[in-house]
Short mmCIF file of all heavy atoms in Angstrom, two decimals:
data_model
loop_
_atom_site.label_atom_id
_atom_site.label_comp_id
_atom_site.label_asym_id
_atom_site.label_seq_id
_atom_site.Cartn_x
_atom_site.Cartn_y
_atom_site.Cartn_z
N THR F 26 0.84 -1.18 0.00
CA THR F 26 0.00 0.00 0.00
C THR F 26 0.88 1.25 0.00
O THR F 26 2.08 1.17 0.26
CB THR F 26 -0.92 0.03 1.23
OG1 THR F 26 -0.15 0.20 2.39
CG2 THR F 26 -1.80 -1.19 1.30
N ILE F 27 0.26 2.36 -0.25
CA ILE F 27 1.00 3.61 -0.31
C ILE F 27 1.62 3.95 1.03
O ILE F 27 2.78 4.35 1.10
CB ILE F 27 0.08 4.75 -0.78
CG1 ILE F 27 -0.32 4.52 -2.23
CG2 ILE F 27 0.74 6.10 -0.61
CD1 ILE F 27 -1.36 5.46 -2.74
N LEU F 28 0.88 3.77 2.11
CA LEU F 28 1.43 4.12 3.42
C LEU F 28 2.57 3.21 3.82
O LEU F 28 3.53 3.65 4.46
CB LEU F 28 0.33 4.10 4.48
CG LEU F 28 -0.72 5.20 4.35
CD1 LEU F 28 -1.77 5.07 5.44
CD2 LEU F 28 -0.07 6.58 4.39
N MET F 29 2.52 1.93 3.43
CA MET F 29 3.62 1.02 3.71
C MET F 29 4.86 1.45 2.95
O MET F 29 5.97 1.43 3.48
CB MET F 29 3.23 -0.42 3.37
CG MET F 29 2.25 -1.02 4.35
SD MET F 29 1.65 -2.66 3.90
CE MET F 29 3.15 -3.54 3.60
N ALA F 30 4.67 1.87 1.69
CA ALA F 30 5.80 2.33 0.89
C ALA F 30 6.38 3.60 1.50
O ALA F 30 7.60 3.77 1.55
CB ALA F 30 5.37 2.58 -0.54
N LEU F 31 5.53 4.47 1.96
CA LEU F 31 5.99 5.71 2.58
C LEU F 31 6.78 5.42 3.85
O LEU F 31 7.83 6.01 4.10
CB LEU F 31 4.79 6.60 2.88
CG LEU F 31 5.10 8.01 3.36
CD1 LEU F 31 5.93 8.76 2.34
CD2 LEU F 31 3.81 8.75 3.63
N ALA F 32 6.31 4.47 4.65
CA ALA F 32 7.03 4.09 5.85
C ALA F 32 8.40 3.51 5.50
O ALA F 32 9.40 3.80 6.15
CB ALA F 32 6.21 3.09 6.66
N ALA F 33 8.46 2.71 4.44
CA ALA F 33 9.74 2.16 4.00
C ALA F 33 10.68 3.26 3.54
O ALA F 33 11.88 3.20 3.77
CB ALA F 33 9.52 1.15 2.88
N LEU F 34 10.12 4.28 2.90
CA LEU F 34 10.95 5.40 2.46
C LEU F 34 11.57 6.14 3.63
O LEU F 34 12.68 6.63 3.52
CB LEU F 34 10.13 6.37 1.62
CG LEU F 34 9.88 5.97 0.18
CD1 LEU F 34 8.90 6.93 -0.47
CD2 LEU F 34 11.17 5.91 -0.60
N THR F 35 10.89 6.20 4.75
CA THR F 35 11.46 6.88 5.90
C THR F 35 12.74 6.19 6.36
O THR F 35 13.64 6.82 6.88
CB THR F 35 10.48 6.98 7.09
OG1 THR F 35 10.15 5.67 7.54
CG2 THR F 35 9.25 7.75 6.72
N LEU F 36 12.81 4.89 6.13
CA LEU F 36 14.01 4.15 6.49
C LEU F 36 15.09 4.27 5.42
O LEU F 36 16.27 4.21 5.73
CB LEU F 36 13.66 2.67 6.69
CG LEU F 36 12.66 2.37 7.79
CD1 LEU F 36 12.32 0.88 7.77
CD2 LEU F 36 13.22 2.76 9.14
N ALA F 37 14.68 4.45 4.16
CA ALA F 37 15.63 4.42 3.05
C ALA F 37 16.08 5.79 2.59
O ALA F 37 17.06 5.91 1.86
CB ALA F 37 15.01 3.67 1.87
N VAL F 38 15.37 6.84 2.99
CA VAL F 38 15.60 8.15 2.42
C VAL F 38 16.09 9.14 3.45
O VAL F 38 15.58 9.20 4.55
CB VAL F 38 14.28 8.69 1.80
CG1 VAL F 38 14.44 10.11 1.33
CG2 VAL F 38 13.85 7.81 0.65
N THR F 39 17.06 9.92 3.07
CA THR F 39 17.48 11.06 3.86
C THR F 39 17.69 12.23 2.92
O THR F 39 18.05 12.03 1.77
CB THR F 39 18.76 10.75 4.67
OG1 THR F 39 19.07 11.90 5.44
CG2 THR F 39 19.93 10.43 3.78
N CYS F 40 17.44 13.42 3.37
CA CYS F 40 17.53 14.60 2.50
C CYS F 40 18.70 15.49 2.89
O CYS F 40 18.64 16.69 2.74
CB CYS F 40 16.22 15.38 2.54
SG CYS F 40 14.85 14.44 1.88
N LYS F 41 19.73 14.91 3.37
CA LYS F 41 20.89 15.68 3.78
C LYS F 41 21.95 15.66 2.70
O LYS F 41 23.07 15.22 2.90
CB LYS F 41 21.42 15.16 5.11
CG LYS F 41 20.42 15.32 6.22
CD LYS F 41 20.90 14.76 7.51
CE LYS F 41 19.80 14.96 8.56
NZ LYS F 41 20.12 14.30 9.79
N LYS F 42 21.54 16.11 1.51
CA LYS F 42 22.42 16.19 0.35
C LYS F 42 22.94 14.84 -0.10
O LYS F 42 24.01 14.72 -0.66
CB LYS F 42 23.57 17.17 0.60
CG LYS F 42 23.08 18.57 0.87
CD LYS F 42 24.20 19.53 0.97
CE LYS F 42 23.60 20.91 1.27
NZ LYS F 42 24.53 21.97 1.16
N ILE F 43 22.18 13.79 0.18
CA ILE F 43 22.51 12.45 -0.30
C ILE F 43 21.47 12.06 -1.33
O ILE F 43 20.29 11.97 -1.02
CB ILE F 43 22.52 11.42 0.85
CG1 ILE F 43 23.58 11.81 1.88
CG2 ILE F 43 22.76 10.02 0.32
CD1 ILE F 43 23.53 10.99 3.15
N LYS F 44 21.90 11.84 -2.55
CA LYS F 44 20.96 11.47 -3.61
C LYS F 44 20.55 10.02 -3.41
O LYS F 44 21.39 9.14 -3.25
CB LYS F 44 21.62 11.64 -4.97
CG LYS F 44 20.70 11.31 -6.11
CD LYS F 44 21.37 11.56 -7.44
CE LYS F 44 20.46 11.15 -8.56
NZ LYS F 44 21.07 11.35 -9.85
N THR F 45 19.26 9.78 -3.40
CA THR F 45 18.73 8.44 -3.22
C THR F 45 18.29 7.90 -4.57
O THR F 45 17.42 8.47 -5.21
CB THR F 45 17.54 8.44 -2.25
OG1 THR F 45 17.95 9.06 -1.04
CG2 THR F 45 17.08 7.04 -1.96
N LYS F 46 18.90 6.82 -5.01
CA LYS F 46 18.58 6.23 -6.30
C LYS F 46 17.41 5.27 -6.17
O LYS F 46 17.18 4.68 -5.11
CB LYS F 46 19.80 5.48 -6.84
CG LYS F 46 20.97 6.38 -7.10
CD LYS F 46 22.14 5.58 -7.63
CE LYS F 46 23.32 6.51 -7.87
NZ LYS F 46 24.48 5.78 -8.36
N MET F 47 16.66 5.13 -7.28
CA MET F 47 15.52 4.23 -7.29
C MET F 47 15.96 2.80 -6.95
O MET F 47 15.28 2.10 -6.23
CB MET F 47 14.82 4.24 -8.66
CG MET F 47 14.19 5.54 -9.02
SD MET F 47 12.89 5.96 -7.88
CE MET F 47 13.22 7.69 -7.70
N LYS F 48 17.12 2.38 -7.45
CA LYS F 48 17.60 1.03 -7.18
C LYS F 48 17.88 0.83 -5.69
O LYS F 48 17.59 -0.23 -5.14
CB LYS F 48 18.85 0.72 -8.00
CG LYS F 48 19.33 -0.71 -7.78
CD LYS F 48 20.41 -1.10 -8.71
CE LYS F 48 20.93 -2.50 -8.53
NZ LYS F 48 20.48 -3.31 -7.46
N THR F 49 18.39 1.85 -5.05
CA THR F 49 18.66 1.76 -3.61
C THR F 49 17.36 1.54 -2.84
O THR F 49 17.29 0.67 -1.95
CB THR F 49 19.35 3.04 -3.11
OG1 THR F 49 20.54 3.24 -3.86
CG2 THR F 49 19.67 2.95 -1.63
N ILE F 50 16.34 2.31 -3.20
CA ILE F 50 15.04 2.15 -2.54
C ILE F 50 14.46 0.79 -2.87
O ILE F 50 13.94 0.08 -2.00
CB ILE F 50 14.07 3.28 -2.94
CG1 ILE F 50 14.63 4.62 -2.48
CG2 ILE F 50 12.67 3.04 -2.37
CD1 ILE F 50 13.89 5.82 -3.01
N ALA F 51 14.53 0.38 -4.14
CA ALA F 51 13.99 -0.91 -4.57
C ALA F 51 14.65 -2.06 -3.80
O ALA F 51 13.96 -2.97 -3.33
CB ALA F 51 14.19 -1.10 -6.07
N ASP F 52 15.96 -2.01 -3.66
CA ASP F 52 16.67 -3.05 -2.92
C ASP F 52 16.23 -3.06 -1.45
O ASP F 52 16.04 -4.12 -0.87
CB ASP F 52 18.18 -2.84 -3.01
CG ASP F 52 18.75 -3.12 -4.39
OD1 ASP F 52 18.04 -3.72 -5.22
OD2 ASP F 52 19.90 -2.71 -4.63
N HIS F 53 16.05 -1.90 -0.89
CA HIS F 53 15.66 -1.79 0.52
C HIS F 53 14.25 -2.34 0.76
O HIS F 53 14.00 -3.01 1.75
CB HIS F 53 15.75 -0.34 0.98
CG HIS F 53 15.41 -0.14 2.41
ND1 HIS F 53 16.28 -0.44 3.44
CD2 HIS F 53 14.27 0.29 3.00
CE1 HIS F 53 15.68 -0.20 4.58
NE2 HIS F 53 14.47 0.25 4.35
N VAL F 54 13.35 -2.04 -0.17
CA VAL F 54 11.95 -2.43 -0.02
C VAL F 54 11.70 -3.85 -0.54
O VAL F 54 10.74 -4.50 -0.16
CB VAL F 54 11.03 -1.41 -0.73
CG1 VAL F 54 9.57 -1.80 -0.62
CG2 VAL F 54 11.24 -0.03 -0.15
N GLY F 55 12.59 -4.33 -1.43
CA GLY F 55 12.44 -5.68 -1.97
C GLY F 55 11.57 -5.76 -3.21
O GLY F 55 10.88 -6.76 -3.41
N VAL F 56 11.60 -4.70 -4.02
CA VAL F 56 10.85 -4.69 -5.28
C VAL F 56 11.79 -4.27 -6.40
O VAL F 56 12.95 -3.95 -6.17
CB VAL F 56 9.64 -3.73 -5.22
CG1 VAL F 56 8.65 -4.18 -4.16
CG2 VAL F 56 10.08 -2.31 -4.96
N LYS F 57 11.27 -4.25 -7.63
CA LYS F 57 12.08 -3.83 -8.78
C LYS F 57 11.99 -2.32 -8.95
O LYS F 57 10.98 -1.70 -8.58
CB LYS F 57 11.60 -4.55 -10.04
CG LYS F 57 11.84 -6.05 -9.94
CD LYS F 57 11.48 -6.76 -11.22
CE LYS F 57 11.76 -8.24 -11.01
NZ LYS F 57 11.67 -9.00 -12.23
N PRO F 58 13.03 -1.70 -9.53
CA PRO F 58 13.05 -0.24 -9.71
C PRO F 58 11.82 0.35 -10.40
O PRO F 58 11.35 1.41 -9.98
CB PRO F 58 14.33 0.02 -10.49
CG PRO F 58 15.25 -1.08 -10.03
CD PRO F 58 14.34 -2.29 -9.88
N PRO F 59 11.24 -0.30 -11.44
CA PRO F 59 10.04 0.30 -12.05
C PRO F 59 8.87 0.41 -11.07
O PRO F 59 8.08 1.35 -11.15
CB PRO F 59 9.70 -0.66 -13.20
CG PRO F 59 10.99 -1.29 -13.55
CD PRO F 59 11.72 -1.44 -12.23
N THR F 60 8.79 -0.51 -10.13
CA THR F 60 7.74 -0.45 -9.10
C THR F 60 7.96 0.77 -8.22
O THR F 60 7.01 1.49 -7.88
CB THR F 60 7.74 -1.73 -8.25
OG1 THR F 60 7.57 -2.85 -9.12
CG2 THR F 60 6.65 -1.70 -7.19
N VAL F 61 9.22 1.03 -7.87
CA VAL F 61 9.54 2.19 -7.05
C VAL F 61 9.22 3.47 -7.81
O VAL F 61 8.64 4.40 -7.26
CB VAL F 61 11.03 2.17 -6.63
CG1 VAL F 61 11.41 3.47 -5.94
CG2 VAL F 61 11.29 0.98 -5.73
N THR F 62 9.57 3.52 -9.08
CA THR F 62 9.30 4.71 -9.89
C THR F 62 7.81 5.02 -9.92
O THR F 62 7.40 6.18 -9.74
CB THR F 62 9.84 4.52 -11.33
OG1 THR F 62 11.25 4.27 -11.25
CG2 THR F 62 9.58 5.74 -12.18
N ALA F 63 6.98 4.01 -10.10
CA ALA F 63 5.53 4.20 -10.11
C ALA F 63 5.05 4.70 -8.76
O ALA F 63 4.21 5.62 -8.69
CB ALA F 63 4.82 2.90 -10.48
N MET F 64 5.56 4.13 -7.68
CA MET F 64 5.15 4.55 -6.34
C MET F 64 5.62 5.97 -6.05
O MET F 64 4.89 6.77 -5.47
CB MET F 64 5.71 3.59 -5.29
CG MET F 64 5.22 3.88 -3.89
SD MET F 64 3.42 3.80 -3.69
CE MET F 64 3.11 2.08 -3.98
N ILE F 65 6.83 6.30 -6.50
CA ILE F 65 7.36 7.65 -6.30
C ILE F 65 6.45 8.67 -6.97
O ILE F 65 6.11 9.70 -6.39
CB ILE F 65 8.80 7.77 -6.84
CG1 ILE F 65 9.75 6.92 -6.01
CG2 ILE F 65 9.26 9.22 -6.92
CD1 ILE F 65 9.86 7.31 -4.56
N ARG F 66 6.04 8.39 -8.18
CA ARG F 66 5.13 9.30 -8.89
C ARG F 66 3.83 9.47 -8.13
O ARG F 66 3.31 10.58 -8.01
CB ARG F 66 4.85 8.77 -10.30
CG ARG F 66 6.00 8.95 -11.23
CD ARG F 66 5.65 8.51 -12.63
NE ARG F 66 6.83 8.56 -13.47
CZ ARG F 66 7.15 7.65 -14.37
NH1 ARG F 66 6.34 6.61 -14.58
NH2 ARG F 66 8.23 7.76 -15.09
N GLN F 67 3.30 8.37 -7.62
CA GLN F 67 2.03 8.42 -6.89
C GLN F 67 2.19 9.23 -5.60
O GLN F 67 1.34 10.07 -5.28
CB GLN F 67 1.57 7.01 -6.59
CG GLN F 67 0.12 6.91 -6.21
CD GLN F 67 -0.36 5.47 -6.18
OE1 GLN F 67 0.41 4.53 -6.33
NE2 GLN F 67 -1.65 5.29 -5.99
N LEU F 68 3.26 8.99 -4.87
CA LEU F 68 3.49 9.72 -3.63
C LEU F 68 3.75 11.20 -3.90
O LEU F 68 3.32 12.06 -3.13
CB LEU F 68 4.67 9.12 -2.86
CG LEU F 68 4.44 7.72 -2.30
CD1 LEU F 68 5.75 7.14 -1.78
CD2 LEU F 68 3.39 7.74 -1.20
N GLU F 69 4.43 11.50 -5.00
CA GLU F 69 4.68 12.89 -5.36
C GLU F 69 3.37 13.60 -5.71
O GLU F 69 3.15 14.75 -5.31
CB GLU F 69 5.67 12.96 -6.52
CG GLU F 69 6.18 14.36 -6.80
CD GLU F 69 7.31 14.37 -7.80
OE1 GLU F 69 7.37 13.49 -8.68
OE2 GLU F 69 8.13 15.28 -7.71
N ASN F 70 2.49 12.91 -6.43
CA ASN F 70 1.17 13.49 -6.77
C ASN F 70 0.34 13.76 -5.52
O ASN F 70 -0.51 14.64 -5.52
CB ASN F 70 0.41 12.57 -7.72
CG ASN F 70 0.98 12.57 -9.11
OD1 ASN F 70 1.68 13.50 -9.51
ND2 ASN F 70 0.72 11.51 -9.86
N MET F 71 0.60 13.01 -4.46
CA MET F 71 -0.12 13.20 -3.21
C MET F 71 0.59 14.21 -2.30
O MET F 71 0.16 14.44 -1.17
CB MET F 71 -0.23 11.86 -2.48
CG MET F 71 -1.04 10.83 -3.23
SD MET F 71 -0.93 9.19 -2.50
CE MET F 71 -1.82 9.46 -0.97
N ALA F 72 1.67 14.82 -2.79
CA ALA F 72 2.45 15.82 -2.06
C ALA F 72 3.08 15.26 -0.78
O ALA F 72 3.29 15.97 0.19
CB ALA F 72 1.61 17.06 -1.75
N LEU F 73 3.40 13.97 -0.79
CA LEU F 73 4.04 13.34 0.36
C LEU F 73 5.55 13.29 0.21
O LEU F 73 6.26 13.11 1.20
CB LEU F 73 3.48 11.94 0.58
CG LEU F 73 1.98 11.89 0.89
CD1 LEU F 73 1.50 10.45 0.97
CD2 LEU F 73 1.68 12.63 2.18
N ILE F 74 6.04 13.43 -1.02
CA ILE F 74 7.47 13.46 -1.29
C ILE F 74 7.75 14.49 -2.37
O ILE F 74 6.84 14.93 -3.08
CB ILE F 74 8.03 12.10 -1.76
CG1 ILE F 74 7.38 11.69 -3.08
CG2 ILE F 74 7.86 11.04 -0.70
CD1 ILE F 74 8.17 10.69 -3.86
N THR F 75 9.03 14.84 -2.50
CA THR F 75 9.50 15.58 -3.66
C THR F 75 10.57 14.72 -4.31
O THR F 75 11.25 13.94 -3.63
CB THR F 75 10.10 16.94 -3.28
OG1 THR F 75 11.17 16.74 -2.36
CG2 THR F 75 9.05 17.85 -2.66
N TYR F 76 10.71 14.83 -5.62
CA TYR F 76 11.72 14.06 -6.33
C TYR F 76 12.29 14.89 -7.47
O TYR F 76 11.55 15.47 -8.25
CB TYR F 76 11.14 12.76 -6.90
CG TYR F 76 12.14 12.07 -7.80
CD1 TYR F 76 13.21 11.37 -7.27
CD2 TYR F 76 12.03 12.15 -9.18
CE1 TYR F 76 14.14 10.76 -8.08
CE2 TYR F 76 12.96 11.55 -10.01
CZ TYR F 76 14.01 10.85 -9.45
OH TYR F 76 14.94 10.26 -10.26
N THR F 77 13.59 14.94 -7.53
CA THR F 77 14.30 15.46 -8.70
C THR F 77 15.49 14.56 -8.94
O THR F 77 15.98 13.89 -8.01
CB THR F 77 14.81 16.91 -8.50
OG1 THR F 77 15.79 16.91 -7.46
CG2 THR F 77 13.69 17.87 -8.15
N LYS F 78 15.94 14.50 -10.17
CA LYS F 78 17.11 13.67 -10.47
C LYS F 78 18.34 14.16 -9.72
O LYS F 78 19.19 13.38 -9.34
CB LYS F 78 17.37 13.65 -11.97
CG LYS F 78 16.36 12.84 -12.73
CD LYS F 78 16.73 12.72 -14.19
CE LYS F 78 15.70 11.87 -14.91
NZ LYS F 78 16.04 11.68 -16.31
N LYS F 79 18.40 15.47 -9.49
CA LYS F 79 19.57 16.04 -8.83
C LYS F 79 19.61 15.69 -7.34
O LYS F 79 20.64 15.32 -6.81
CB LYS F 79 19.57 17.56 -9.01
CG LYS F 79 20.78 18.23 -8.41
CD LYS F 79 20.78 19.71 -8.69
CE LYS F 79 22.00 20.37 -8.08
NZ LYS F 79 22.03 21.80 -8.32
N THR F 80 18.48 15.83 -6.65
CA THR F 80 18.47 15.61 -5.20
C THR F 80 17.91 14.26 -4.77
O THR F 80 18.06 13.88 -3.62
CB THR F 80 17.65 16.71 -4.49
OG1 THR F 80 16.31 16.66 -4.97
CG2 THR F 80 18.24 18.07 -4.72
N GLY F 81 17.24 13.57 -5.66
CA GLY F 81 16.64 12.29 -5.31
C GLY F 81 15.30 12.49 -4.63
O GLY F 81 14.59 13.45 -4.89
N VAL F 82 14.96 11.58 -3.73
CA VAL F 82 13.65 11.57 -3.06
C VAL F 82 13.77 12.16 -1.67
O VAL F 82 14.67 11.81 -0.92
CB VAL F 82 13.12 10.13 -2.95
CG1 VAL F 82 11.79 10.11 -2.21
CG2 VAL F 82 12.98 9.49 -4.31
N CYS F 83 12.85 13.06 -1.34
CA CYS F 83 12.79 13.63 0.01
C CYS F 83 11.34 13.61 0.48
O CYS F 83 10.44 13.93 -0.28
CB CYS F 83 13.29 15.07 0.01
SG CYS F 83 15.04 15.23 -0.30
N LEU F 84 11.15 13.25 1.72
CA LEU F 84 9.81 13.32 2.30
C LEU F 84 9.46 14.78 2.58
O LEU F 84 10.30 15.54 3.04
CB LEU F 84 9.75 12.54 3.62
CG LEU F 84 9.89 11.03 3.50
CD1 LEU F 84 10.09 10.44 4.89
CD2 LEU F 84 8.68 10.43 2.84
N THR F 85 8.22 15.15 2.32
CA THR F 85 7.72 16.47 2.68
C THR F 85 7.31 16.44 4.15
O THR F 85 7.31 15.39 4.79
CB THR F 85 6.51 16.87 1.82
OG1 THR F 85 5.45 15.94 2.09
CG2 THR F 85 6.83 16.88 0.34
N LYS F 86 6.91 17.59 4.68
CA LYS F 86 6.41 17.62 6.06
C LYS F 86 5.20 16.71 6.21
O LYS F 86 5.08 15.96 7.18
CB LYS F 86 6.05 19.04 6.47
CG LYS F 86 7.26 19.92 6.70
CD LYS F 86 6.85 21.31 7.10
CE LYS F 86 8.08 22.19 7.25
NZ LYS F 86 7.74 23.56 7.66
N ASP F 87 4.29 16.76 5.22
CA ASP F 87 3.12 15.87 5.26
C ASP F 87 3.54 14.42 5.16
O ASP F 87 2.97 13.56 5.82
CB ASP F 87 2.15 16.21 4.11
CG ASP F 87 1.41 17.52 4.34
OD1 ASP F 87 1.36 17.99 5.49
OD2 ASP F 87 0.88 18.07 3.36
N GLY F 88 4.53 14.14 4.34
CA GLY F 88 5.04 12.77 4.20
C GLY F 88 5.62 12.25 5.51
O GLY F 88 5.37 11.10 5.90
N ASN F 89 6.38 13.07 6.18
CA ASN F 89 6.93 12.67 7.48
C ASN F 89 5.82 12.43 8.49
O ASN F 89 5.88 11.47 9.27
CB ASN F 89 7.88 13.76 8.02
CG ASN F 89 9.29 13.57 7.55
OD1 ASN F 89 9.82 12.47 7.56
ND2 ASN F 89 9.90 14.65 7.11
N ARG F 90 4.80 13.26 8.47
CA ARG F 90 3.67 13.12 9.39
C ARG F 90 2.94 11.80 9.12
O ARG F 90 2.58 11.09 10.06
CB ARG F 90 2.73 14.31 9.24
CG ARG F 90 1.75 14.44 10.37
CD ARG F 90 0.90 15.71 10.30
NE ARG F 90 1.64 16.88 9.86
CZ ARG F 90 1.36 17.59 8.75
NH1 ARG F 90 0.33 17.24 8.00
NH2 ARG F 90 2.07 18.63 8.41
N GLU F 91 2.70 11.50 7.84
CA GLU F 91 1.97 10.27 7.49
C GLU F 91 2.79 9.01 7.81
O GLU F 91 2.23 7.99 8.17
CB GLU F 91 1.61 10.27 6.00
CG GLU F 91 0.51 11.23 5.63
CD GLU F 91 -0.83 10.80 6.19
OE1 GLU F 91 -1.12 9.61 6.28
OE2 GLU F 91 -1.60 11.70 6.56
N ALA F 92 4.08 9.11 7.62
CA ALA F 92 4.95 7.94 7.86
C ALA F 92 5.05 7.67 9.34
O ALA F 92 5.14 6.60 9.80
CB ALA F 92 6.32 8.17 7.28
#
């Protein structure tokens, strides 16, 4: 589910100038990178994360609250 993925991201993601790759998250969660990419898009549309190729994935304030 989305909330389970978000909780997993709290363990896999940090926003302290460390770029988080989709493969890193996929390995941590135990899925394939395309699955992570789809989930990232969904979470971003819900304003729970931000994602750019330069900075990677970061939880928003709402994302941290939900996780």
Side-chain angles (χ1 to χ4, degrees):
T26 67
I27 292 172
L28 291 179
M29 287 175 51
L31 188 59
L34 281 172
T35 62
L36 299 174
V38 174
T39 182
C40 296
K41 297 178 181 173
K42 299 186 181 190
I43 298 171
K44 182 177 177 181
T45 305
K46 297 180 181 179
M47 294 297 139
K48 183 171 179 355
T49 303
I50 297 171
D52 289 346
H53 182 78
V54 179
V56 298
K57 295 185 180 190
T60 303
V61 172
T62 301
M64 186 59 66
I65 293 298
R66 286 184 186 140
Q67 197 169 7
L68 292 170
E69 191 171 29
N70 288 338
M71 297 170 69
L73 298 175
I74 62 159
T75 58
Y76 172 76
T77 65
K78 288 186 179 182
K79 183 177 180 180
T80 61
V82 178
C83 291
L84 292 169
T85 63
K86 287 180 183 181
D87 288 341
N89 272 316
R90 195 174 321 119
E91 288 291 325

